[in-house]
Amino acid sequence: MELEKYFRENKLPHIWCPGCGHGTVMSSIIRGIDKAGWDPNKVVVVSGIGCSSRAPGYMDFNTLHTVHGRAIAFATGIKLANPELKVIVLTGDGDGAAIGGNHLIHACRRNIGIKVVLFNNYIYGMTSGQYSPMTPEGSLATTSPYGNIEPPFDLCELTKSANANFVARGTVYHTRPLISYMEKAFAKDGFSYVEAISQCPTYYGRRNRLKSPVEMLEWQKKNSVDIKKAADMEPEELQGKIVTGIFADREKEEYTARYDRLISEIQGGKK
Ligand SMILES: Cc1ncc(C[n+]2csc(CCOP(=O)(O)OP(=O)(O)O)c2C)c(N)n1
Ligand code: SF4
């Protein structure tokens, strides 16, 4: 597959550490875009701030590297201004679930046609390893040197309850399903959320006795449970597991289409 055309080769080499999972997430997104067959001039990739949010810099589309936690707000404005555009948000678990969490739930609620890919490495990578709202209980971080005592969000359950049209979770170990979730998410008109479990060997792995990127990938392999199998498991059995698969797949009317319909109704005198 000829994927080089989607990259800004003059921006390489990238800044990610050896063994970081973010490059695999980026390549899965690129494959999803390729499969969607979109005109690159109509694709807008928006990110916040973080190691994950550096990805759009390497991707040859219309790209915006915005401010921490606010990528969805920028993306919402872009989609409202020009609903024809294919708008993808790239965010991290800190960027998207902490400072940007409020934007995320409201974008789901509106079902606005943007596609959010959240790179979940369980930590704030760029700022040297503070815990995030996705860090598992007991994990060590610079801000939890005795172990994190806060339960993490399950953002797939949260986005599903908040009305997202499509919700899925995959891992960088299982690249084929991850790519298929990107394809399905990008094919939707409404709001899509794909969570990609990624690894940060530098700040999460090292502190949490996962000694190498390979060990972190093996951890993803060993701990992943398909959503269908998870449905028959007890909550205690699912502790510490990564539930993967499609959590929601709906066909509700997309927000800008709904808005256009309202305007036509008003102009046509139906309201
Ligand atoms: C308003 C604001 N607060 C804090 C920061 C510092 N900051 C930059 S990136 C980041 C966390 C990024 O973590 P995450 O989104 O998980 O991405 P990762 O680096 O792990 O990919 C923080 C707190 C900032 N840039 N702006
Ligand atoms: S600090 Fe972590 S998330 Fe950031 S590039 Fe390095 S391995 Fe990746």
Side-chain angles (χ1 to χ4, degrees):
M1 206 189 303
E2 223 233 75
L3 298 177
E4 286 83 2
K5 62 183 179 195
Y6 297 118
F7 289 100
R8 293 181 178 134
E9 288 186 48
N10 62 341
K11 298 287 180 210
L12 298 172
H14 57 71
I15 60 149
W16 296 314
C17 308
C20 176
H22 287 354
T24 310
V25 184
M26 180 174 69
S27 71
S28 306
I29 295 163
I30 290 283
R31 282 167 204 276
I33 294 175
D34 186 67
K35 184 82 177 180
W38 291 335
D39 171 359
N41 292 318
K42 293 266 157 65
V43 177
V44 187
V45 188
V46 188
S47 70
I49 301 291
C51 298
S52 33
S53 291
R54 288 296 291 261
Y58 311 120
M59 299 166 71
D60 199 8
F61 302 98
N62 303 286
T63 56
L64 276 86
H65 190 197
T66 69
V67 286
H68 195 35
R70 308 293 176 227
I72 290 177
F74 282 85
T76 300
I78 293 163
K79 188 73 186 169
L80 276 173
N82 186 351
E84 298 287 296
L85 296 174
K86 310 293 182 190
V87 184
I88 302 177
V89 167
L90 309 189
T91 184
D93 46 299
D95 192 72
I99 187 168
N102 200 24
H103 296 289
L104 177 64
I105 55 174
H106 290 286
C108 294
R109 181 177 60 82
R110 295 187 184 112
N111 193 31
I112 186 153
I114 60 183
K115 290 96 187 56
V116 173
V117 179
L118 188 139
F119 297 51
N120 181 10
N121 59 7
Y122 304 117
I123 203 87
Y124 287 11
M126 181 161 268
T127 44
S128 326
Q130 296 81 10
Y131 71 84
S132 85
M134 314 284 276
T135 305
E137 277 183 278
S139 290
L140 301 175
T142 51
T143 42
S144 60
Y146 306 111
N148 178 29
I149 57 166
E150 298 183 17
F153 273 137
D154 183 335
L155 269 194
C156 288
E157 293 296 348
L158 187 72
T159 51
K160 180 183 165 188
S161 330
N163 203 37
N165 226 11
F166 182 83
V167 176
R169 180 187 292 122
T171 81
V172 301
Y173 176 81
H174 306 89
T175 43
R176 278 176 196 275
L178 185 61
I179 294 165
S180 82
Y181 303 146
M182 300 295 175
E183 287 173 18
K184 290 194 172 79
F186 298 167
K188 288 274 168 189
D189 286 333
F191 183 90
S192 298
Y193 171 79
V194 178
E195 186 174 316
I197 304 295
S198 178
Q199 73 274 2
C200 172
T202 306
Y203 291 114
Y204 188 84
R206 253 192 341 189
R207 266 202 190 85
N208 288 283
R209 287 182 283 282
L210 291 160
K211 291 197 193 75
S212 67
V214 172
E215 224 173 284
M216 297 188 84
L217 286 165
E218 277 168 355
W219 183 87
Q220 288 175 22
K221 179 185 177 192
K222 202 169 108 213
N223 287 290
S224 295
V225 179
D226 184 80
I227 191 165
K228 292 188 196 89
K229 189 168 173 217
D232 297 326
M233 291 169 69
E234 297 299 324
E236 304 76 55
E237 293 176 278
L238 286 169
Q239 280 289 326
K241 300 287 183 209
I242 307 164
V243 180
T244 58
I246 296 175
F247 288 68
D249 188 355
R250 304 157 168 152
E251 290 298 344
K252 285 175 295 180
E253 190 174 23
E254 191 272 328
Y255 184 75
T256 57
R258 173 75 190 89
Y259 218 131
D260 273 352
R261 192 159 62 78
L262 175 67
I263 291 165
S264 319
E265 284 167 8
I266 291 166
Q267 288 174 343
K270 286 195 202 140
K271 285 220 170 183

